[in-house]
Amino acid sequence: MRAIYVAALLMCACFALAHGANKRCNVLSIVTNVGSWVPTTGPAKYIGVPKPTGYWLAEFTHSYTVFKNAGCSITVASPKGGLGPADPPGFNFYANDPVTQALVAKRADGSPYVPVTENTISAAAITNAQLADFDIVFFVGGTGGMWDFPYDDNLHRIARVMWESGKVVSAVCHGPMALVHAKLSDNSSLVAGRSMTGFSNAEEELLGTATVCGLCYPGNEAAACPVGLTPANCSGPHMPSEYPTKGSFLLEDGLKAAGAVYVSTQQDWSTFYFRPHVVRHGRLVTGQNPGAGRETAEAAYDTHRLLRLTKKKSCPVWSQFADTFCSPVQQTAADPPVKCKTNGYIPKC
Ligand SMILES: *[C@@H]1O[C@H](CO)[C@@H](O)[C@H](O)[C@H]1NC(C)=O
Ligand SMILES: *[C@@H]1O[C@H](CO)[C@@H](O)[C@H](O)[C@H]1NC(C)=O
């Protein structure tokens, strides 16, 4: 009798934990809608030929899995709603990653896709009242987000409302594109004066997004074309002219221009995809690169956990959270000095 009672109690406890009954955690995970772009400048062979893009697969799958394993419920949204496309190379890149593959399915024709990002909710449909139910907003990166994230008023609204109601605002890789132009109610920048990271200019160069011709586009020749070249004969992949005409930018440049204290790790091509680097400034949690999906989500969840604790115990919130942790990679000389922790970044409270 007693054994049955204890077993029943244990089952109850497990059930409660698995379903997060005692620790509310609702996550709004936001992915891009942009699955391709058509270059209108650059070498003739690129013009008019759609190039695939999207969200970067593991930034979504790894963060989603962290939140799910922590007992959170996750709502997946995007600026327009509907399909959130994964950047196709990710399916090969993470073919042997079980965490990612657990969220990948095959269509009838054998092509891979991610069912949970097939039919996302539109950011416009999420009201401010509904945002009260969320604890964490997480902006997933990938180069697709360079197109729609910076210009979506609803993403800016979501970031503002979440921030101003004391929630966790987090983003990885190109995800902070959604925050660069985000304003608070007093019209000040959400990111100004805050320590942040995100995909770096050096990483863009490695990817080929910004080559020497990257900013050599019609109307910008004098400023950005290499000597003796014009947009017509500058070779190499160009940043699409749509970027500058819409006022787009490289993320590191955008964050710095908005007044953020941008922090990155020194990276090299052979390792940067795999080295997580996360910066936490209060409730603002950002990860630098495709390898940081898991760690950024862990830090975001941990911040949520600390907020709940500090409400109960009235711990000093801001000093507890102003930390940075990263892989043991040397900081560049130009970066502000940061405290690098290899583990144990979760402050005691
Ligand atoms: C908000 O600030 C921007 C500059 O950052 C300015 O152009 C704009 O007029 C301001 N809007 C209001 C309502 O104050
Ligand atoms: C590129 O075009 C400009 C303008 O037509 C020309 O002056 C320049 O020599 C060209 N450069 C090359 C490397 O073809």
Side-chain angles (χ1 to χ4, degrees), residues 35-343:
S36 71
W37 56 271
V38 182
T40 57
T41 59
K45 63 179 176 179
Y46 294 130
I47 294 177
V49 181
K51 284 177 71 77
T53 182
Y55 67 82
W56 189 246
L57 191 58
E59 294 171 27
F60 177 76
T61 58
H62 289 182
S63 58
Y64 185 94
T65 304
V66 165
F67 292 131
K68 197 170 165 221
N69 290 347
C72 305
S73 36
I74 306 141
T75 300
V76 185
S78 63
K80 288 189 181 139
L83 176 66
D87 198 353
F91 290 108
N92 285 334
F93 204 97
Y94 297 99
N96 298 317
D97 171 31
V99 171
T100 295
Q101 290 307 316
L103 290 166
V104 172
K106 291 272 163 70
R107 297 190 199 280
D109 67 359
S111 61
Y113 75 108
V114 180
V116 287
T117 58
E118 281 287 287
N119 192 15
T120 63
I121 293 173
S122 86
I126 301 169
T127 65
N128 291 352
Q130 286 168 336
L131 286 174
D133 290 336
F134 288 99
D135 304 294
I136 299 170
V137 61
F138 187 92
F139 293 99
V140 176
T143 50
M146 293 184 81
W147 297 84
D148 54 357
F149 276 17
Y151 309 110
D152 193 275
D153 291 342
N154 283 300
L155 298 195
H156 297 160
R157 173 179 59 85
I158 287 168
R160 182 189 80 241
V161 171
M162 291 293 283
W163 183 260
E164 292 184 340
S165 49
K167 308 297 182 60
V168 178
V169 174
S170 56
V172 67
C173 195
H174 288 101
M177 291 300 271
L179 304 176
V180 169
H181 294 148
K183 295 281 176 74
L184 301 178
S185 293
D186 66 359
N187 199 31
S188 65
S189 160
L190 193 157
V191 302
R194 303 192 205 282
S195 296
M196 298 181 69
T197 189
F199 208 63
S200 68
N201 287 355
E203 287 165 325
E204 300 281 7
E205 280 161 25
L206 288 169
L207 271 191
T209 320
T211 65
V212 288
C213 300
L215 296 171
C216 177
Y217 56 84
N220 201 37
E221 291 88 342
C225 292
V227 174
L229 295 173
T230 69
N233 61 16
C234 192
S235 64
H238 288 236
M239 186 179 285
S241 62
E242 287 82 354
Y243 272 40
T245 56
K246 284 182 180 172
S248 197
F249 45 82
L250 298 185
L251 177 58
E252 177 178 341
D253 294 342
L255 287 173
K256 286 176 173 170
V261 180
Y262 178 83
V263 186
S264 71
T265 58
Q266 191 168 42
Q267 304 286 351
D268 70 65
W269 173 244
S270 58
T271 59
F272 87 87
Y273 264 98
F274 306 102
R275 288 195 192 271
H277 174 232
V278 178
V279 174
R280 176 159 58 175
H281 189 148
R283 295 174 285 109
L284 181 61
V285 181
T286 46
Q288 184 174 334
N289 43 30
R294 189 188 86 197
E295 288 76 5
T296 310
E298 284 174 348
Y301 177 75
D302 183 60
T303 305
H304 166 59
R305 180 183 72 80
L306 288 170
L307 284 166
R308 289 175 59 88
L309 276 179
T310 54
K311 265 183 207 147
K312 280 192 199 140
K313 295 187 191 169
S314 59
C315 292
V317 173
W318 302 115
S319 61
Q320 291 279 355
F321 290 0
D323 68 346
T324 295
F325 79 100
C326 57
S327 54
V329 180
Q330 195 189 347
Q331 303 297 303
T332 62
D335 285 336
V338 297
K339 190 170 48 172
C340 226
K341 299 177 181 179
T342 54
N343 55 43

Side-chain angles (χ1 to χ4, degrees), residues 24-35:
R24 190 188 87 164
C25 171
N26 288 329
V27 176
L28 183 58
S29 179
I30 301 186
V31 297
T32 180
N33 294 118
V34 179

